Amino acid sequence: MTSLFKDKNKVILVKPRVYIGDTISIGPGKIEILRQVGNLHSISSAARALGMPYKRAWLLIDTLNQGFGKPVIETTTGGKKGGGAVITRLGQDLINCYDALEKSLNQKTKDELNALRALAEFS
Amino acid sequence: MTSLFKDKNKVILVKPRVYIGDTISIGPGKIEILRQVGNLHSISSAARALGMPYKRAWLLIDTLNQGFGKPVIETTTGGKKGGGAVITRLGQDLINCYDALEKSLNQKTKDELNALRALAEFS
């Protein structure tokens, strides 16, 4: 393993994990699975695209559904292709709000991020 | 399980996970173990205080040591009390910088956080 000690200008970025009330937590994992289901219209395809077990993907989605008391993904069964999944309006709003937060905090905490980066570059 | 649907004024907060270069990631778990080692001067006591297996605590610390190419915790062996652990200057700087980032981003992204909270309160 190469030490990072001598690296210059390391990329630094921050991803948020948001806690709302007692039962909702939203981090990059849940947002990515939502985004992939929105693109691929299938939980199993989304899980595969992220290299995540289907069971875990389903659990992440169900945890959101339960926490919000309203679905972020709706599944359809049967039909020629054996059913699929669609993202709801709430699910899409969640992605949009999370992305806006991520963008904003990376812009607005540059000083604090630079202080952290300096620890890695000059320590 | 109680649905959150009717809750009002839910507390919302965000915790950062910071990525520096290719090999450093710092989130609340690593910061808490560092903080507890700083307080308790022992990795096993810190792990116990956080309800975390010793092995996992040690691994989180070692990952930081390797990523920075310099220790965040130093261990001493032997002696009457069977050795202990102390946090280094780098380790303490890391806690301070992370805390400053967390405080700053909770203050500076209130609009985006309120938009997320509204999804949980009115969806």
Side-chain angles (χ1 to χ4, degrees), chain B residues 68-81:
Chain B
F68 281 94
K70 195 173 160 177
V72 293
I73 298 285
E74 274 169 351
T75 53
T76 57
T77 52
K80 244 184 177 172
K81 292 181 175 176

Side-chain angles (χ1 to χ4, degrees), chain A residues 23-81:
Chain A
T23 57
I24 301 176
S25 99
I26 308 161
K30 284 177 187 156
I31 292 298
E32 277 318 303
I33 190 75
L34 271 185
R35 205 189 307 274
Q36 290 298 327
V37 173
N39 292 338
L40 301 170
H41 310 293
S42 149
I43 297 176
S44 58
S45 300
R48 208 156 37 235
L50 295 171
M52 183 187 285
Y54 171 82
K55 177 78 184 176
R56 177 164 163 74
W58 184 87
L59 204 67
L60 290 176
I61 290 165
D62 192 55
T63 305
L64 283 174
N65 288 347
Q66 299 290 331
F68 281 94
K70 195 174 161 178
V72 294
I73 297 286
E74 274 169 352
T75 53
T76 56
T77 52
K80 244 184 178 172
K81 291 181 175 177

